[in-house]
Every structure is written in C-alpha cells, then in structure tokens.
C-alpha cells in the first residue's frame, strides 16, 4: 500500500490515465488498420469485380455484334465488336495486374484461353461467307465458346465477391475491436470514479471529520483522546500533532 | 461490513484473471492473431482495476463471515464479467449475452457453449476459454488464497465460504493444508494428463486445453466435434481416466497417492460412486448393442465415455447421444442430476448428497420399525450430524425446485420441453450438454437470450451450491 496521500492520489490518477491512454492507443491502432483494410478491400476485390462486370458487358456487346454480322450488317457489327474487344482486353489487363487472391491467377488464365478461342471464331470473315445467316453454326460453335468465356469471367467475379464478403465481415469485427476499448475505458473510468470517491471519503474525509470532532469537543479535563486513524500517512501525522498540541495546552494550563 | 476490504479482495481476483489473460495474449501475439488486442486490453484492464484498491486499502488481518460470503459471490460475478471482455471485444459469434453465457459456462466449469464454429476462434481466445475452466475449476478464491498472504482467520472464512460443509468432511487438516492439497492435486492431474495426451498424439496446445477442461470437469474442447474429432481410442481412454479421477474428492486422491489410510479404496462413497457409474455404463452399452445402434466394441466405448463424461460433470462427447435410444438418454440424464463427488472440481448436486439421502431413508425406515432405537447415520464409521443430514435434504429439495422452476421459465420463452428440462439440469449441475437442441454435439446458440441469462444464473447457483447466493439476501451487519 502507498503511504503518502499525495502518492496515493497520484497513483490512482496514473492508473486512470494509463487505462485511457491504452484504450485510446488501441482504438487508434484498430481504426488505422480498418482504414488500411478498406483500401485493400477496394484494391483487392472491388476493382476486379468492376473489371469482371465490364468484361461481361463487353462479351454481351460482342455477341450482339456477331448477330449483326450474321444478318449481313458488316460495318455496324464490326464497329460494335471492335469497341467491345478493346474494352474486354483493357479490363482483362487490369484484372491481370491486380492478382491478390488465391486461385485468381488460374481464373484469369482460363479467361485468356477461352477468350482467345472465342475471338478466333469471329475474327475470320462472316459476311459473304457460308456462315452468314447460319444460325446452326452460331448456336453449336460460337455460342458455346461465348458461354465458356462468360462462365470463366463469372467465376473470377464470384471469387472476388466471396472475398469481399469475407473481408467486410472481418471489417465489422475490426470496427467492433476499435470501439470496444473506448466503451470498456468509459465503464472502467466510471467504476474508478465511484471507487476513488469512496476511498477519498473513507480514508481522507472521514478522518478529517473525526479530527475536527475531537478538536471541537476539546476539554482540558479529558486527556484520553484517541482518534485511531490507522494508517501511517499525513493524516496520521496530523493526528499525532494535534494530540501533542492538546497535551502541550493541557500542561500549560496545569502550570 | 468493511466495503474497502471486500473491494481489495476483489482486486486480487482481478489480478489473478489478468495473469491468464496475459498468457492468452502472448499466444495470440506470437500467432499473429486477431484476438491479441482484445486479450491485451482485457489483461491491462484487469491489472489496473485490480491494483487500484491496493493503493488505498491496507491489508486486513481478519474477515467476518458476511465479508467472506460477499467476496465469494461478488468475486465469481466480477470474474465472469471480466471473462466476457475478450469475447465481446473480439466479435464473431459473441454478442454480450453470448459472451456472458460462454464466460459463466467456462468459470463454473459447465462447458455449455453458444459457439457454432469453435475452430474459427483464434488460439489465444481458445486458450482463454479453457483457462476460465482452469481458474473456475478449483475456485478462484482458493487460488487467491494460495498465493496471497492471508491471516489464518481470513483463510478459514474464505475457505468456508467457497467450499460446502460436506466438501470438507474428508479433510482432517488445517485450512492452509487443505488449499495446498487441493492445488497440488489439481496441478498434478493437469500436468499428468497433458503429458499423456501428448504421448497419445495430441499437440501441446490441444493437450493442455483438454487437460484444463478435464481436470476442471468443464468440457470446453478446441474442436467442433469435441473429443470425437480425434478418432483416437487412446485419447478417449486417457480422458476417461482423468474424468473419473477429477470427479473424486481431492483429499482422498491426495491420501491415495501419498499412501495414507483414508483413501479412495476405503471410502464407501467413492466405491459406490464408481459402482453406480459402472452399472450405468453396462446398462447403456447393453441397450446400444441390443438396439443395433453400435457393435459390441463401439457400444462399450461410447457408453463408457458418455456416462463418465456426464457423471463427472465434464461434458465432453465422443458421439451424439441425442440419436441414441430413449432408455440410454434417461440413464444419462440421471447422471446429469447425480453429478460427481464433493471435494472435487465438479458442481451441482454431488453424489455424496444422494448417498446421504439414501442413508437417511434407511434410517427413517429403521426408526419406524424400532421407535425406541437411536439410529445414527455413519459414513466410513464417522457419525454424520443431524444438522448435515437436514442441510442435505433441504439442498436436494431446493436444487430440484430450482431446475423445475428454470424448466418452466424456459418453456415460457418457447423452448421445447426436452431442451428446457435437459438444459436446466445440465446447467445447474455444471455438466454442459443436455438433449434436444442442446445435445452433446450441439450448442446453446439457438436459445433465446432470456433463456441464456436464466441458464447462466443456474450455472452460478450450481457452482456456488445455491446457499451462498441465497445467503446474500439474509446477511445482517
């Protein structure tokens, strides 16, 4: 037990400050981590999901372009296909540069492979060949390849969506971990305050009250003063000094 | 009543919890786990709140009985509350209610869980979960008594408040020696089991966690499928042996290991406890075999493990007994009510009380047949006082009343009868798993929050032997 009143109060406040500093530091640490997690969430998953969506859209546009070619509308069809192809390749390149998840590389390799095969089918002339208006060729050969590529892109998107969900769940827990130290610190400080108030009353206010009572009831005929403060601190010293003083006054009066 | 003295003692208890929280933090920290910060902050909070009263309150030489009762009850409550901190801070499946339930279940060595995916927990948190069993197993107050410099009178007061009257019957020595024996046996059993489980193929982490849970008769496992996940007969046999040992009076175990005369072989209560367990195993195994549930070997294996697990109030599982024939479930339910011996780490009714209850029935019949006879109940040639007999009878009635009341209240919260009844007896008995939705391989997560709070009160009642909690309402200055 700490002996001096000053040290007692200082130690009490030091503990109080420690808990606040620790809670604050841990909250800041967790919030900083949370910020990093949000950025990595966007970088790792969200961008690839957006690229996958662009690729799917491009594939659909390419499919429409091919149907136009089958109808013999060469110029309009080629224009749509070329724009969609460029958009697809651009998104694929972006996804390739943002491989962050396990198996993501394998998914991109599959997209590459199936898209190359798909592209090889429509790259060759369609208008003014036996393919023009050939719906059987479209369904049996081209559409199969189109679905295969689309499925590969969907798989990439699903992988990133799953990880996005997982990461956001982690983020929820992280935000909880950031807030909780503050809540616990608030509750602890309330408990601290109640206890501090109790201890100050019990060990400082009550003894001072007792001393005051003794001085108030001072009677030169009664030498039997006992306050029994119990602790070896400044109040105990004050008690001893008051008793000495009473003793001195009594002796002087006797003389 | 000196509030400041009570607060200082509660501070010791917090410091003690802080040590285990810090060890759990180190596990998390070196494993790079997400639970490191919640565990560190919980440990720091414990240390700071625990140290605070020591700045102001001087060491007290003595304690009154009332102060002792309040320290024990408030100590357990505050401990359970502090135990929730790492859980709620970490998140996952832990809402405040779930964290409180898990914490109370851990400290009271009940072993009921709200977790659907135990293996998703970081290792540091799993260790903390097992530590709550270890701390609660022998009683946080007894741990504190061993470590702290206490006067003789304070030690006696706290020991009396923590242990029931009947528990002390096999200790013929002073308070300090009782605490020493309890802790020595406790640590000895834990260490031996850990080593044996490692020999049986478990890694150190699983071995120590399962040892904590076995010796404390808790039942928290690090695996979703409990002991069944190891698929190892040797692991099951080791755990069974230690479950039996942990369910026996520690004083008798100490005497047996040190070659003293008053040992488990000479104790009629222990012999009857083992005999009843053996009969239960035979009955369950025969039914499992004849009903075609398992072949002969598996029937004996699963019956032995499940009966011992429930009779010792541990609650580990190596099979899902919820799908077993009804007869076997009734037998298992009996063991859930019976519980293990006094002086062990188990909670609940305790076998010794049932033993005394049947002895007092025999006494009543003899007195009816011979109205002038003076019949004295004796256990191992020691006469048992009328006061203790009355105390036992009142305890049993109160115990039955509480689990009946809890069952009724649980059904009011729309829990089905089987789940409500078995959850009530499993929690007040500090056993862990019940039947219905809360079977041996199931969990308590599906119960409404109000049911979880009710059951956690049940667990504390079971652990503190009801009277300590009731005594709070009758304390006089």
């Amino acid at each position: 037990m700490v002996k001096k009143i000053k040290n007692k109060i200082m130690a009490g406040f030091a503990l109080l400050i420690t808990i606040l500093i620790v809670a604050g530091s841990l909250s800041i640490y967790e919030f900083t981590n949370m910020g990093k997690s949000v950025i990595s969430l966007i970088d790792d998953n969200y961008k690839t999901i957006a690229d996958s969506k662009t690729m799917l859209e491009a594939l659909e546009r390419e499919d429409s372009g091919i149907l136009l070619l089958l109808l013999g509308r060469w110029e309009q069809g080629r224009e749509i296909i070329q724009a969609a192809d460029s958009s697809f390749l651009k998104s694929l390149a972006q996804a390739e540069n943002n491989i962050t998840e396990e198996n993501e590389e394998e998914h991109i390799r599959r997209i590459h492979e199936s898209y190359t095969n798909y592209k090889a089918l429509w790259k060759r002339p369609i208008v003014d060949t036996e393919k023009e208006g050939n719906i059987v060729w479209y369904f049996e050969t081209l559409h199969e390849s189109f679905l295969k590529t689309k499925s590969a892109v969907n798989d990439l998107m699903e992988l990133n969506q799953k990880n996005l969900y997982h990461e956001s769940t982690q983020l929820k827990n992280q935000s909880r971990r950031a807030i909780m130290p503050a809540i616990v610190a608030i509750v602890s400080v309330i408990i601290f305050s109640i206890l501090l108030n109790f201890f100050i009353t019990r060990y400082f206010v009550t003894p001072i009250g007792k001393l005051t009572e003794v001085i108030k009831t001072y009677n030169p005929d009664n030498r039997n003063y006992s306050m029994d403060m119990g602790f070896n601190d400044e109040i105990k010293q004050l008690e001893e000094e008051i008793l000495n003083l009473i003793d001195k006054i009594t002796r002087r009066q006797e003389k | 009543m000196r509030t400041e003295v009570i607060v200082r003692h509660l501070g010791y208890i917090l410091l003690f919890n802080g040590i285990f929280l810090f060890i759990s933090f180190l596990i998390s920290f070196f494993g790079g786990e997400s639970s490191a910060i919640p565990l560190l902050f919980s440990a720091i909070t414990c240390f700071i709140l625990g140290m605070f009263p020591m700045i102001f309150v001087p060491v007290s030489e003595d304690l009154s009985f009332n102060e002792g009762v309040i320290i024990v009850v408030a100590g357990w409550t505050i401990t359970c509350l502090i135990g929730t901190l790492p859980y709620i801070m970490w998140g996952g499946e832990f809402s405040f209610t779930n964290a409180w339930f898990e914490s109370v279940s851990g400290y009271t060595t009940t072993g009921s869980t709200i977790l659907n995916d135990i293996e998703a927990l970081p290792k540091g948190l799993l260790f903390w979960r097992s530590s709550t069993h270890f701390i609660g197993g022998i009683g946080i107050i007894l741990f504190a008594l061993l470590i702290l410099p206490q006067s003789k009178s304070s030690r006696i007061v706290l020991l009396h408040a923590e242990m029931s009257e009947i528990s002390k019957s096999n200790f013929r020595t002073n308070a300090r020696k009782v605490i020493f024996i309890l802790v020595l046996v406790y640590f000895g059993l834990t260490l031996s089991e850990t080593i044996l489980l490692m020999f049986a193929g478990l890694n150190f982490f699983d071995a120590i966690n399962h040892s904590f849970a076995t010796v404390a008769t808790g039942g928290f496992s690090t695996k979703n499928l409990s002991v069944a996940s190891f698929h190892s007969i040797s692991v099951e046999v080791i755990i069974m042996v230690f479950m039996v040992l942990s369910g026996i009076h520690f004083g008798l175990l100490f005497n047996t290991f040190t070659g003293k005369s008053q040992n488990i072989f000479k104790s009629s209560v222990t012999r009857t406890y083992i005999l009843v367990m053996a009969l239960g195993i035979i009955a369950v195994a025969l039914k499992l075999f004849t009903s075609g549930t398992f072949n002969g070997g598996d029937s004996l294996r699963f019956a032995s493990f499940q009966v011992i697990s429930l009779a010792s109030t541990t609650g580990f599982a190596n099979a899902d007994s919820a799908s077993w024939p009804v007869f076997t479930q009734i037998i298992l339910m009996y063991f859930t009510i019976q519980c293990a011996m006094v002086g062990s780490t188990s909670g609940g009714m305790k076998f010794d009380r049932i033993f005394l209850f049947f002895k007092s029935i025999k006494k009543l019949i003899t007195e009816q047949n011979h109205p002038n006879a003076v019949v004295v109940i004796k256990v191992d040639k020691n006469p048992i006082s009328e006061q203790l007999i009355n105390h036992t009878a009142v305890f049993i009635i109160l115990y039955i009343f509480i689990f009946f009341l809890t069952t009724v209240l649980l059904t009011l919260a729309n829990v089905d009868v089987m789940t409500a009844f078995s959850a009530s007896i499993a929690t007040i008995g500090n056993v862990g798993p019940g039947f219905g939705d809360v079977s041996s391989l199931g969990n308590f997560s599906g119960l409404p929050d109000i049911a979880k709070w009710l059951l956690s009160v049940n667990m504390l009642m079971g652990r503190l032997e009801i009277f300590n909690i009731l005594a709070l309402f009758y304390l006089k200055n």
Side-chain angles (χ1 to χ4, degrees), chain B residues 45 87 166 182 204 259 325 328 347 411 442 475-476:
Chain B
T45 308
Y87 297 141
I166 200 168
L182 283 171
F204 176 70
T328 61
T411 51
L475 289 181
K476 286 177 187 168

Side-chain angles (χ1 to χ4, degrees), chain B residues 223-244:
Chain B
K223 304 287 176 192
N224 287 331
L225 292 176
S226 189
V227 177
S229 67
F230 297 118
H231 304 291
S232 163
I233 293 177
S234 55
V235 168
E236 287 171 21
V237 170
I238 292 166
I239 290 177
M240 270 194 274
V241 170
F242 279 88
M243 285 195 291
V244 173

